[in-house]
Amino acid sequence: MLKSLLAASLLVLGGHACAASTDVAPVNVILHGQRFTAELATHEAAREHGLMARTTLAPDHGMLFVFPDTAPRGFWMKNTLIPLDILYFDAERKLVSAQLDVPPCKAAPCPVYPSAGPARYVLELSAGTARRIGVRDGDTLTIDGRLGTVD
């Protein structure tokens, strides 16, 4: 009985750990004419977990962080194993700043990579993607899909 209860508890906890990285179905985003499949992080736990512990990220995939407000943002790479481009967008989904080729950070203290202006959306892509597709400040991010609730 105790083993069954323990096994069931571990399954529930394992499910929560997996669910922390994203919280709703992926959406398609279009940036500078390129389409990406983006996992969504619209809740605090999903935003905190982000792309931690990932060893790969497909070239046409990313993660879109959605915040309930527009404010200066800062991201760090703690326990993130792959280099990323971090793109900050305002409430109108215009690119306000980018941190490119941000290296992984496996041990604290990890530097914070801030936005140059207030942002509501943050898109993480594989490092080098923004440069490869020619992203520029002011580019508009199109989101094709449902964002769900944001908190």
Side-chain angles (χ1 to χ4, degrees):
M1 174 76 171
L2 182 58
K3 284 184 184 180
S4 297
L5 185 57
L6 181 58
S9 297
L10 289 175
L11 282 173
V12 169
L13 289 174
H16 286 293
C18 292
S21 63
T22 61
D23 51 11
V24 294
V27 295
N28 289 312
V29 298
I30 301 168
L31 179 62
H32 207 74
Q34 300 292 309
R35 181 178 296 273
F36 299 92
T37 299
E39 297 175 46
L40 285 172
T42 61
H43 298 280
E44 190 63 31
R47 289 191 296 262
E48 285 178 9
H49 191 268
L51 291 171
M52 283 183 183
R54 304 278 181 98
T55 56
T56 61
L57 182 63
D60 62 343
H61 282 71
M63 180 169 276
L64 181 64
F65 297 79
V66 183
F67 293 89
D69 60 347
T70 301
R73 304 283 176 213
F75 274 50
W76 67 341
M77 299 286 285
K78 184 177 181 225
N79 297 323
T80 303
L81 307 175
I82 51 177
L84 297 171
D85 289 343
I86 305 172
L87 308 172
Y88 299 93
F89 298 85
D90 65 15
E92 287 76 41
R93 300 178 184 168
K94 301 279 186 202
L95 183 66
V96 295
S97 69
Q99 295 283 352
L100 304 180
D101 301 314
V102 176
C105 182
K106 297 175 187 166
C110 297
V112 174
Y113 298 92
S115 61
R120 183 163 188 179
Y121 304 92
V122 179
L123 179 63
E124 290 184 338
L125 300 170
S126 295
T129 301
R131 208 173 265 120
R132 177 179 53 79
I133 67 173
V135 170
R136 303 211 186 305
D137 283 350
D139 280 353
T140 300
L141 179 69
T142 301
I143 302 171
D144 182 18
R146 198 167 160 265
L147 295 179
T149 59
V150 179
D151 68 359

